Coordinates of all heavy atoms in Angstrom, one line a residue:
M270 N 58.2 18.7 -52.7 CA 57.8 18.6 -51.3 C 58.8 19.0 -50.3 O 60.0 18.7 -50.4 CB 57.4 17.1 -51.0 CG 56.8 16.8 -49.7 SD 55.0 17.2 -49.7 CE 54.6 16.8 -48.0
F271 N 58.5 19.9 -49.4 CA 59.5 20.4 -48.5 C 58.8 20.6 -47.1 O 57.6 20.7 -47.0 CB 60.2 21.7 -48.9 CG 59.3 22.8 -48.9 CD1 59.3 23.8 -47.9 CD2 58.4 23.1 -50.0 CE1 58.4 24.9 -47.9 CE2 57.5 24.2 -50.0 CZ 57.6 25.1 -48.9
F272 N 59.6 20.6 -46.1 CA 59.1 20.9 -44.7 C 59.9 22.1 -44.1 O 61.0 22.3 -44.4 CB 59.5 19.6 -43.8 CG 58.7 18.5 -44.3 CD1 59.3 17.4 -44.9 CD2 57.3 18.3 -43.9 CE1 58.6 16.3 -45.3 CE2 56.6 17.2 -44.3 CZ 57.2 16.2 -45.0
I273 N 59.2 22.8 -43.3 CA 59.8 23.8 -42.5 C 59.8 23.4 -41.1 O 58.8 23.2 -40.5 CB 59.1 25.2 -42.6 CG1 59.0 25.7 -44.1 CG2 59.7 26.2 -41.7 CD1 58.2 26.8 -44.3
L274 N 61.0 23.1 -40.6 CA 61.2 22.5 -39.3 C 61.8 23.5 -38.4 O 62.7 24.3 -38.8 CB 62.1 21.3 -39.3 CG 61.4 19.9 -39.5 CD1 62.4 18.8 -39.5 CD2 60.3 19.6 -38.4
G275 N 61.4 23.7 -37.1 CA 62.0 24.5 -36.2 C 62.1 23.9 -34.9 O 61.5 22.9 -34.7
M276 N 62.9 24.4 -34.0 CA 63.0 23.9 -32.7 C 63.1 25.1 -31.7 O 63.8 26.0 -31.9 CB 64.3 23.1 -32.6 CG 64.2 21.9 -31.6 SD 65.5 20.7 -31.9 CE 66.9 21.5 -31.4
T277 N 62.3 25.0 -30.7 CA 62.4 26.1 -29.7 C 62.3 25.4 -28.2 O 61.9 24.3 -28.1 CB 61.2 27.0 -29.8 OG1 60.0 26.3 -29.3 CG2 61.0 27.6 -31.1
N278 N 62.6 26.2 -27.3 CA 62.2 25.7 -25.9 C 61.1 26.6 -25.4 O 61.0 27.8 -25.9 CB 63.4 25.7 -24.9 CG 64.2 27.0 -24.9 OD1 63.8 27.9 -25.4 ND2 65.4 26.9 -24.3
G279 N 60.3 26.0 -24.5 CA 59.1 26.8 -24.1 C 58.9 26.6 -22.6 O 59.6 25.8 -22.0
R280 N 57.9 27.4 -22.1 CA 57.6 27.2 -20.7 C 56.1 27.3 -20.6 O 55.4 28.1 -21.3 CB 58.2 28.4 -20.0 CG 57.7 28.6 -18.5 CD 58.4 29.7 -17.8 NE 57.6 30.0 -16.7 CZ 58.1 30.5 -15.5 NH1 59.4 30.8 -15.4 NH2 57.3 30.8 -14.5
Q281 N 55.5 26.5 -19.8 CA 54.1 26.5 -19.5 C 53.8 26.6 -18.0 O 54.4 25.9 -17.2 CB 53.5 25.2 -20.1 CG 52.0 25.2 -19.9 CD 51.3 23.9 -20.5 OE1 52.1 23.1 -21.1 NE2 50.1 23.7 -20.2
D282 N 53.0 27.6 -17.6 CA 52.7 27.8 -16.2 C 51.4 27.1 -16.0 O 50.5 27.2 -16.8 CB 52.6 29.3 -15.9 CG 53.9 29.9 -15.9 OD1 54.6 30.1 -16.9 OD2 54.4 30.3 -14.7
F283 N 51.3 26.4 -14.8 CA 50.1 25.8 -14.5 C 49.3 26.6 -13.5 O 49.8 27.3 -12.7 CB 50.4 24.4 -13.9 CG 51.1 23.5 -14.8 CD1 52.3 23.0 -14.5 CD2 50.7 23.3 -16.1 CE1 53.1 22.2 -15.3 CE2 51.4 22.5 -17.0 CZ 52.6 21.9 -16.6
D284 N 47.9 26.4 -13.5 CA 47.1 27.1 -12.6 C 47.0 26.2 -11.3 O 46.1 25.4 -11.1 CB 45.6 27.1 -13.2 CG 44.7 28.0 -12.4 OD1 45.2 28.8 -11.6 OD2 43.5 27.9 -12.6
Y285 N 48.0 26.4 -10.5 CA 48.1 25.6 -9.3 C 48.3 26.5 -8.1 O 49.2 27.4 -8.1 CB 49.2 24.6 -9.4 CG 49.4 23.7 -8.2 CD1 48.7 22.5 -8.0 CD2 50.3 24.1 -7.2 CE1 48.8 21.7 -6.9 CE2 50.5 23.3 -6.1 CZ 49.7 22.1 -6.0 OH 49.9 21.3 -4.9
R286 N 47.5 26.4 -7.0 CA 47.7 27.2 -5.9 C 47.8 26.4 -4.6 O 46.8 25.6 -4.3 CB 46.5 28.2 -5.7 CG 46.3 29.2 -6.9 CD 47.1 30.4 -6.6 NE 47.1 31.3 -7.8 CZ 47.9 31.1 -8.8 NH1 48.8 30.2 -8.9 NH2 47.8 32.0 -9.9
D287 N 48.9 26.4 -4.0 CA 49.0 25.8 -2.7 C 50.1 26.4 -1.9 O 50.8 27.2 -2.4 CB 49.3 24.3 -2.9 CG 48.9 23.4 -1.7 OD1 48.4 23.9 -0.7 OD2 49.2 22.2 -1.8
T288 N 50.0 26.2 -0.6 CA 51.1 26.8 0.3 C 51.8 25.6 1.0 O 51.1 24.7 1.4 CB 50.6 27.7 1.3 OG1 49.5 27.1 2.0 CG2 50.1 29.0 0.6
I289 N 53.1 25.7 1.1 CA 53.8 24.7 1.9 C 54.9 25.5 2.7 O 55.2 26.6 2.4 CB 54.5 23.6 1.0 CG1 55.6 24.3 0.1 CG2 53.5 22.8 0.2 CD1 56.5 23.2 -0.6
I290 N 55.5 24.8 3.7 CA 56.6 25.4 4.4 C 57.8 25.3 3.4 O 58.2 24.2 3.0 CB 56.9 24.6 5.7 CG1 55.7 24.5 6.6 CG2 58.1 25.2 6.4 CD1 55.3 25.8 7.3
C291 N 58.4 26.4 3.2 CA 59.4 26.5 2.1 C 60.7 25.8 2.7 O 61.2 26.1 3.8 CB 59.8 28.0 1.9 SG 61.2 28.3 0.8
P292 N 61.3 24.8 1.9 CA 62.5 24.1 2.4 C 63.7 25.1 2.4 O 64.7 24.7 3.1 CB 62.7 23.1 1.3 CG 61.5 23.1 0.5 CD 60.8 24.4 0.6
S293 N 63.6 26.2 1.8 CA 64.7 27.1 1.7 C 64.7 28.1 2.9 O 65.7 28.2 3.6 CB 64.7 27.9 0.4 OG 65.8 28.8 0.3
C294 N 63.7 28.8 3.1 CA 63.7 29.9 4.1 C 62.8 29.5 5.3 O 62.8 30.3 6.3 CB 63.2 31.2 3.5 SG 61.5 31.3 3.1
G295 N 62.0 28.4 5.3 CA 61.3 28.0 6.4 C 59.9 28.7 6.6 O 59.2 28.4 7.6
R296 N 59.6 29.6 5.8 CA 58.4 30.4 5.9 C 57.3 29.6 5.1 O 57.6 28.8 4.3 CB 58.5 31.8 5.4 CG 59.3 32.7 6.3 CD 59.4 34.1 5.8 NE 60.2 34.2 4.6 CZ 60.4 35.3 3.9 NH1 59.7 36.3 4.2 NH2 61.3 35.3 2.9
L297 N 56.0 30.0 5.4 CA 54.9 29.4 4.7 C 54.8 30.2 3.3 O 54.7 31.5 3.3 CB 53.6 29.6 5.4 CG 52.4 28.9 4.9 CD1 52.6 27.3 4.9 CD2 51.1 29.2 5.6
G298 N 55.0 29.6 2.2 CA 55.1 30.2 0.9 C 54.1 29.6 -0.1 O 53.7 28.4 0.1
G299 N 53.7 30.3 -1.0 CA 52.9 29.8 -2.1 C 53.7 29.2 -3.2 O 54.9 29.7 -3.4
C300 N 53.2 28.2 -3.8 CA 54.0 27.5 -4.9 C 53.4 27.9 -6.3 O 52.2 27.9 -6.4 CB 53.7 25.9 -4.7 SG 54.1 25.3 -3.2
R301 N 54.2 28.2 -7.1 CA 53.9 28.3 -8.5 C 54.6 27.2 -9.3 O 55.8 27.1 -9.3 CB 54.2 29.7 -9.0 CG 53.4 30.1 -10.2 CD 53.6 31.5 -10.6 NE 55.0 31.6 -11.0 CZ 55.5 32.8 -11.5 NH1 54.7 33.7 -11.8 NH2 56.7 32.8 -11.9
V302 N 53.8 26.4 -10.1 CA 54.3 25.3 -10.8 C 54.4 25.6 -12.2 O 53.4 26.1 -12.8 CB 53.5 24.0 -10.5 CG1 54.0 22.9 -11.2 CG2 53.3 23.8 -9.0
F303 N 55.5 25.3 -12.8 CA 55.6 25.4 -14.3 C 56.5 24.3 -14.8 O 57.2 23.6 -14.1 CB 56.2 26.8 -14.7 CG 57.5 27.2 -14.2 CD1 58.7 26.9 -15.0 CD2 57.8 27.7 -12.9 CE1 59.9 27.2 -14.5 CE2 59.1 27.9 -12.5 CZ 60.1 27.7 -13.3
M304 N 56.4 24.3 -16.2 CA 57.1 23.2 -16.9 C 58.0 23.8 -18.0 O 57.5 24.8 -18.6 CB 56.1 22.2 -17.5 CG 56.7 21.2 -18.4 SD 55.4 20.2 -19.1 CE 54.8 21.1 -20.4
T305 N 59.2 23.3 -18.2 CA 59.9 23.8 -19.4 C 60.1 22.6 -20.3 O 60.0 21.4 -19.8 CB 61.3 24.3 -18.9 OG1 62.0 23.2 -18.3 CG2 61.2 25.5 -18.1
Y306 N 60.3 22.8 -21.5 CA 60.4 21.7 -22.5 C 61.1 22.2 -23.8 O 61.2 23.4 -24.0 CB 58.9 21.2 -22.9 CG 58.0 22.3 -23.3 CD1 58.0 22.7 -24.6 CD2 57.2 22.9 -22.4 CE1 57.1 23.7 -25.0 CE2 56.3 23.9 -22.8 CZ 56.3 24.3 -24.1 OH 55.4 25.3 -24.5
M307 N 61.4 21.2 -24.6 CA 61.9 21.6 -26.0 C 60.8 21.1 -26.9 O 60.1 20.1 -26.6 CB 63.2 20.8 -26.3 CG 64.4 21.1 -25.5 SD 65.0 22.8 -25.9 CE 65.5 22.5 -27.6
Q308 N 60.6 21.7 -28.0 CA 59.6 21.3 -28.9 C 60.0 21.5 -30.4 O 60.8 22.4 -30.7 CB 58.3 22.0 -28.7 CG 58.2 23.5 -29.0 CD 56.8 24.0 -28.7 OE1 56.0 23.4 -28.2 NE2 56.7 25.3 -28.8
V309 N 59.5 20.7 -31.2 CA 59.7 20.7 -32.6 C 58.6 21.4 -33.2 O 57.4 21.1 -32.9 CB 59.9 19.3 -33.3 CG1 59.8 19.3 -34.7 CG2 61.2 18.7 -32.9
L310 N 58.8 22.4 -34.2 CA 57.7 23.0 -34.9 C 57.8 22.6 -36.3 O 58.8 22.6 -37.0 CB 57.9 24.6 -34.8 CG 58.1 25.2 -33.4 CD1 58.5 26.6 -33.6 CD2 56.8 25.0 -32.6
L311 N 56.6 22.1 -36.8 CA 56.5 21.7 -38.2 C 55.5 22.7 -38.9 O 54.3 22.9 -38.5 CB 56.0 20.3 -38.3 CG 55.9 19.7 -39.6 CD1 57.2 19.6 -40.4 CD2 55.3 18.3 -39.6
F312 N 56.0 23.5 -39.8 CA 55.3 24.6 -40.3 C 54.8 25.5 -39.3 O 53.6 26.0 -39.3 CB 54.1 24.1 -41.3 CG 54.6 23.3 -42.4 CD1 54.5 22.0 -42.4 CD2 55.2 23.9 -43.5 CE1 54.9 21.2 -43.5 CE2 55.6 23.2 -44.6 CZ 55.5 21.9 -44.6
F313 N 55.6 25.8 -38.3 CA 55.4 26.7 -37.2 C 54.3 26.2 -36.2 O 53.8 27.0 -35.4 CB 55.0 28.1 -37.7 CG 56.1 28.7 -38.6 CD1 55.8 28.7 -40.0 CD2 57.3 29.1 -38.3 CE1 56.7 29.1 -40.9 CE2 58.3 29.5 -39.1 CZ 58.0 29.5 -40.5
I314 N 53.9 25.0 -36.4 CA 52.9 24.4 -35.4 C 53.7 23.4 -34.5 O 54.4 22.5 -34.9 CB 51.8 23.6 -36.2 CG1 51.1 24.6 -37.1 CG2 50.8 23.0 -35.2 CD1 50.2 23.9 -38.2
P315 N 53.5 23.7 -33.2 CA 54.2 22.7 -32.2 C 53.6 21.3 -32.4 O 52.4 21.1 -32.4 CB 53.8 23.3 -30.9 CG 53.3 24.6 -31.1 CD 52.7 24.7 -32.5
C316 N 54.5 20.4 -32.6 CA 54.0 19.0 -32.8 C 54.6 18.0 -31.9 O 54.1 16.9 -31.8 CB 54.1 18.6 -34.3 SG 55.7 18.6 -34.9
F317 N 55.7 18.3 -31.3 CA 56.3 17.3 -30.4 C 57.1 18.0 -29.3 O 57.9 18.9 -29.6 CB 57.2 16.4 -31.3 CG 57.9 15.3 -30.5 CD1 57.2 14.3 -29.9 CD2 59.3 15.3 -30.3 CE1 57.8 13.2 -29.1 CE2 59.9 14.3 -29.6 CZ 59.1 13.2 -29.0
R318 N 56.9 17.5 -28.1 CA 57.6 18.1 -27.0 C 58.4 17.0 -26.3 O 58.0 15.9 -26.2 CB 56.7 18.6 -25.9 CG 56.0 19.9 -26.4 CD 55.0 20.4 -25.3 NE 54.5 21.6 -25.6 CZ 53.5 22.2 -24.9 NH1 53.1 21.7 -23.8 NH2 53.0 23.4 -25.3
W319 N 59.6 17.3 -25.9 CA 60.3 16.4 -25.1 C 61.2 17.1 -24.1 O 61.1 18.4 -24.0 CB 61.2 15.5 -25.9 CG 62.5 16.1 -26.5 CD1 63.7 15.9 -26.0 CD2 62.6 17.0 -27.6 NE1 64.6 16.6 -26.7 CE2 63.9 17.3 -27.7 CE3 61.7 17.6 -28.4 CZ2 64.4 18.2 -28.7 CZ3 62.1 18.4 -29.4 CH2 63.5 18.7 -29.5
N320 N 62.0 16.4 -23.3 CA 62.9 17.0 -22.3 C 62.1 17.8 -21.3 O 62.5 18.9 -21.0 CB 63.9 17.8 -23.0 CG 65.2 17.9 -22.1 OD1 65.4 17.2 -21.2 ND2 66.0 18.9 -22.5
K321 N 60.9 17.3 -20.9 CA 60.1 18.1 -20.0 C 60.7 18.1 -18.6 O 61.2 17.0 -18.2 CB 58.7 17.5 -19.9 CG 57.9 17.7 -21.2 CD 56.5 17.0 -21.1 CE 55.8 17.0 -22.5 NZ 54.6 16.2 -22.4
A322 N 60.6 19.2 -17.9 CA 61.0 19.2 -16.5 C 60.0 20.1 -15.8 O 59.6 21.2 -16.3 CB 62.4 19.8 -16.5
Y323 N 59.8 19.8 -14.5 CA 58.8 20.5 -13.7 C 59.5 21.2 -12.6 O 60.4 20.7 -12.0 CB 57.7 19.5 -13.2 CG 57.0 18.8 -14.3 CD1 57.5 17.6 -14.8 CD2 55.8 19.3 -14.8 CE1 56.8 16.9 -15.8 CE2 55.2 18.7 -15.8 CZ 55.6 17.5 -16.3 OH 55.0 16.8 -17.3
Y324 N 59.0 22.5 -12.3 CA 59.7 23.3 -11.4 C 58.6 24.0 -10.5 O 57.5 24.1 -10.9 CB 60.5 24.4 -12.0 CG 61.6 23.9 -12.8 CD1 61.5 23.7 -14.2 CD2 62.9 23.5 -12.3 CE1 62.5 23.2 -15.0 CE2 63.9 23.0 -13.0 CZ 63.7 22.8 -14.4 OH 64.7 22.4 -15.2
V325 N 59.1 24.3 -9.3 CA 58.2 25.1 -8.4 C 58.9 26.3 -8.0 O 60.1 26.3 -7.6 CB 57.9 24.2 -7.1 CG1 57.3 25.1 -6.0 CG2 57.0 23.1 -7.4
E326 N 58.3 27.4 -8.1 CA 58.8 28.7 -7.6 C 58.1 29.1 -6.4 O 56.8 29.2 -6.4 CB 58.8 29.8 -8.7 CG 59.4 31.1 -8.3 CD 59.2 32.2 -9.3 OE1 59.4 32.0 -10.5 OE2 58.9 33.3 -8.8
M327 N 58.8 29.4 -5.3 CA 58.2 29.8 -4.0 C 58.0 31.3 -4.0 O 58.8 32.1 -4.5 CB 59.1 29.4 -2.9 CG 59.4 27.9 -2.7 SD 57.9 26.9 -2.5 CE 57.2 27.7 -1.0
S328 N 56.8 31.7 -3.5 CA 56.5 33.1 -3.4 C 57.2 33.9 -2.3 O 57.5 35.0 -2.4 CB 55.0 33.3 -3.3 OG 54.6 32.8 -2.0
C329 N 57.7 33.1 -1.3 CA 58.3 33.7 -0.2 C 59.7 34.3 -0.5 O 60.0 35.4 -0.1 CB 58.4 32.7 1.0 SG 58.9 31.1 0.5
C330 N 60.5 33.5 -1.1 CA 61.9 33.9 -1.4 C 62.3 33.7 -2.8 O 63.5 33.9 -3.2 CB 62.8 33.1 -0.5 SG 62.7 31.3 -0.7
K331 N 61.3 33.4 -3.7 CA 61.6 33.3 -5.1 C 62.5 32.2 -5.5 O 63.0 32.1 -6.6 CB 62.1 34.7 -5.7 CG 61.2 35.8 -5.5 CD 59.9 35.6 -6.3 CE 58.9 36.8 -5.9 NZ 57.5 36.4 -6.1
R332 N 62.8 31.3 -4.5 CA 63.6 30.2 -4.8 C 62.9 29.2 -5.7 O 61.7 29.0 -5.6 CB 64.0 29.5 -3.5 CG 65.0 28.4 -3.5 CD 66.4 28.9 -3.5 NE 67.3 27.8 -3.8 CZ 67.9 27.0 -2.8 NH1 67.7 27.3 -1.5 NH2 68.7 26.0 -3.1
V333 N 63.7 28.6 -6.7 CA 63.1 27.6 -7.6 C 63.7 26.2 -7.3 O 64.9 26.0 -7.1 CB 63.4 28.0 -9.1 CG1 62.9 27.0 -10.0 CG2 62.8 29.4 -9.4
F334 N 62.7 25.3 -7.2 CA 63.1 23.9 -6.9 C 62.6 23.0 -8.1 O 61.6 23.3 -8.8 CB 62.4 23.3 -5.7 CG 62.8 24.1 -4.5 CD1 62.2 25.2 -4.0 CD2 63.9 23.6 -3.7 CE1 62.5 25.9 -2.9 CE2 64.3 24.2 -2.6 CZ 63.6 25.4 -2.1
K335 N 63.3 22.0 -8.3 CA 62.9 21.0 -9.3 C 61.9 20.1 -8.6 O 62.0 19.7 -7.5 CB 64.1 20.1 -9.8 CG 63.8 19.4 -11.1 CD 65.0 18.9 -11.8 CE 64.6 18.4 -13.1 NZ 65.7 17.8 -13.9
L336 N 60.8 19.9 -9.4 CA 59.6 19.1 -8.8 C 59.8 17.7 -9.3 O 60.1 17.4 -10.5 CB 58.3 19.7 -9.2 CG 57.0 19.0 -8.8 CD1 56.9 19.0 -7.3 CD2 55.9 19.8 -9.4
N337 N 59.4 16.7 -8.4 CA 59.3 15.3 -8.7 C 58.4 15.2 -9.9 O 57.2 15.7 -9.9 CB 58.7 14.6 -7.5 CG 58.5 13.1 -7.7 OD1 58.5 12.7 -8.8 ND2 58.4 12.4 -6.6
P338 N 58.9 14.7 -11.0 CA 58.1 14.6 -12.3 C 56.8 13.9 -12.1 O 55.8 14.2 -12.8 CB 59.0 13.9 -13.3 CG 60.2 13.5 -12.6 CD 60.2 14.1 -11.2
R339 N 56.7 12.9 -11.2 CA 55.4 12.2 -11.0 C 54.3 13.2 -10.5 O 53.2 13.1 -11.0 CB 55.7 11.1 -9.9 CG 54.5 10.2 -9.8 CD 54.8 9.2 -8.6 NE 54.8 9.8 -7.4 CZ 53.7 10.2 -6.6 NH1 52.6 9.9 -7.1 NH2 53.9 10.7 -5.4
I340 N 54.7 14.1 -9.7 CA 53.7 15.1 -9.2 C 53.5 16.1 -10.3 O 52.3 16.5 -10.5 CB 54.3 15.8 -7.9 CG1 54.8 14.9 -6.9 CG2 53.2 16.8 -7.3 CD1 53.8 14.0 -6.2
G341 N 54.5 16.5 -11.0 CA 54.4 17.5 -12.1 C 53.4 17.0 -13.1 O 52.6 17.8 -13.6
I342 N 53.4 15.7 -13.5 CA 52.5 15.2 -14.5 C 51.1 15.3 -14.0 O 50.2 15.6 -14.8 CB 53.0 13.8 -14.9 CG1 54.3 13.8 -15.7 CG2 51.8 13.1 -15.7 CD1 55.0 12.5 -15.9
I343 N 50.9 14.9 -12.7 CA 49.5 15.0 -12.2 C 49.0 16.4 -12.3 O 47.8 16.6 -12.7 CB 49.5 14.4 -10.8 CG1 49.8 12.9 -10.8 CG2 48.1 14.7 -10.1 CD1 50.1 12.4 -9.4
I344 N 49.8 17.4 -11.9 CA 49.4 18.8 -11.9 C 49.1 19.3 -13.3 O 48.2 20.0 -13.6 CB 50.4 19.7 -11.1 CG1 50.4 19.3 -9.6 CG2 50.2 21.2 -11.3 CD1 51.5 19.9 -8.8
Q345 N 50.0 18.8 -14.2 CA 49.8 19.2 -15.6 C 48.4 18.8 -16.2 O 47.9 19.5 -16.9 CB 50.9 18.6 -16.4 CG 50.8 18.9 -17.9 CD 51.9 18.1 -18.7 OE1 52.6 17.3 -18.2 NE2 52.0 18.4 -20.0
H346 N 48.0 17.7 -15.7 CA 46.7 17.2 -16.1 C 45.5 17.6 -15.3 O 44.5 17.0 -15.3 CB 46.8 15.6 -16.3 CG 47.7 15.2 -17.4 ND1 49.0 14.8 -17.2 CD2 47.5 15.2 -18.8 CE1 49.6 14.6 -18.4 NE2 48.7 14.8 -19.3
G347 N 45.7 18.6 -14.4 CA 44.7 19.2 -13.7 C 44.4 18.5 -12.3 O 43.4 18.8 -11.7
G348 N 45.3 17.6 -11.9 CA 45.0 16.8 -10.7 C 45.3 17.7 -9.5 O 46.1 18.6 -9.5
K349 N 44.7 17.4 -8.4 CA 45.0 18.1 -7.1 C 45.9 17.3 -6.3 O 45.5 16.6 -5.3 CB 43.7 18.4 -6.4 CG 42.8 19.4 -7.2 CD 43.1 20.8 -6.8 CE 42.4 21.8 -7.7 NZ 43.3 22.4 -8.7
E350 N 47.2 17.3 -6.6 CA 48.1 16.6 -5.8 C 48.9 17.6 -4.9 O 49.2 18.6 -5.3 CB 49.1 15.9 -6.7 CG 50.1 15.0 -6.0 CD 49.6 13.6 -5.6 OE1 48.4 13.3 -5.9 OE2 50.3 12.9 -4.9
R351 N 49.0 17.3 -3.6 CA 49.7 18.2 -2.7 C 51.2 18.0 -2.9 O 51.7 16.9 -3.0 CB 49.4 17.8 -1.2 CG 48.1 18.5 -0.8 CD 48.1 18.6 0.7 NE 49.0 19.6 1.2 CZ 48.6 20.8 1.5 NH1 47.4 21.2 1.5 NH2 49.6 21.7 1.9
I352 N 51.9 19.1 -3.0 CA 53.3 19.0 -3.0 C 53.9 19.0 -1.6 O 53.5 19.7 -0.8 CB 53.9 20.3 -3.8 CG1 53.4 20.3 -5.2 CG2 55.4 20.4 -3.7 CD1 53.7 21.6 -6.0
R353 N 54.8 18.1 -1.4 CA 55.5 18.0 -0.1 C 56.9 18.3 -0.3 O 57.5 18.3 -1.4 CB 55.3 16.5 0.4 CG 53.9 16.1 0.8 CD 53.8 14.6 0.8 NE 54.2 14.0 -0.4 CZ 54.6 12.8 -0.6 NH1 54.7 12.0 0.4 NH2 55.0 12.3 -1.8
Q354 N 57.6 18.7 0.9 CA 58.9 19.1 0.9 C 59.8 18.1 0.2 O 60.8 18.4 -0.5 CB 59.4 19.4 2.2 CG 58.9 20.7 2.8 CD 59.7 21.2 4.0 OE1 60.7 20.6 4.3 NE2 59.2 22.2 4.6
E355 N 59.5 16.8 0.3 CA 60.5 15.8 -0.2 C 60.3 15.6 -1.7 O 61.1 14.9 -2.4 CB 60.2 14.4 0.5 CG 58.8 13.9 0.5 CD 58.1 14.2 1.8 OE1 58.4 15.3 2.4 OE2 57.3 13.4 2.3
D356 N 59.3 16.3 -2.3 CA 59.1 16.3 -3.8 C 60.0 17.4 -4.4 O 60.0 17.5 -5.6 CB 57.6 16.5 -4.2 CG 56.8 15.3 -3.7 OD1 57.2 14.2 -3.8 OD2 55.7 15.6 -3.2
L357 N 60.5 18.3 -3.6 CA 61.3 19.4 -4.2 C 62.8 19.1 -4.0 O 63.3 18.7 -3.0 CB 60.9 20.7 -3.4 CG 59.5 21.1 -3.4 CD1 59.2 22.3 -2.5 CD2 59.0 21.3 -4.8
M358 N 63.5 19.3 -5.1 CA 65.0 19.2 -5.1 C 65.6 20.5 -5.4 O 65.2 21.1 -6.4 CB 65.4 18.2 -6.2 CG 65.1 16.7 -5.9 SD 64.7 15.7 -7.3 CE 62.9 16.1 -7.5
P359 N 66.6 20.9 -4.6 CA 67.2 22.3 -4.9 C 68.0 22.1 -6.2 O 68.5 21.1 -6.6 CB 68.2 22.4 -3.7 CG 68.0 21.2 -2.8 CD 67.1 20.2 -3.5
L360 N 68.0 23.3 -6.9 CA 68.7 23.3 -8.2 C 70.2 23.6 -7.9 O 70.6 24.2 -7.0 CB 68.2 24.4 -9.1 CG 66.7 24.2 -9.6 CD1 66.3 25.3 -10.5 CD2 66.6 22.9 -10.4
Ligands
LIG88 ZN1 61.2 30.6 0.8

């Protein structure tokens, strides 16, 4: 009996469209939300993810902010939560 284990990091983009006033440049910008994570592969099949972090990339100035994970989890599960400026932390 043997196992083939691997470890990778990955990125998942969410289908989320909203516009907010950008905390960086002050213009109205579109938000693109994505998540990064580490995952264990067992026989090349992803089976466990951890170290998840949620980010927002602004369309106006391409600045990336860390997103409040509470909002990120809602968006990940298809919820319609509005992102507010206070949910964004500069990297
Ligand atoms: Zn901006």
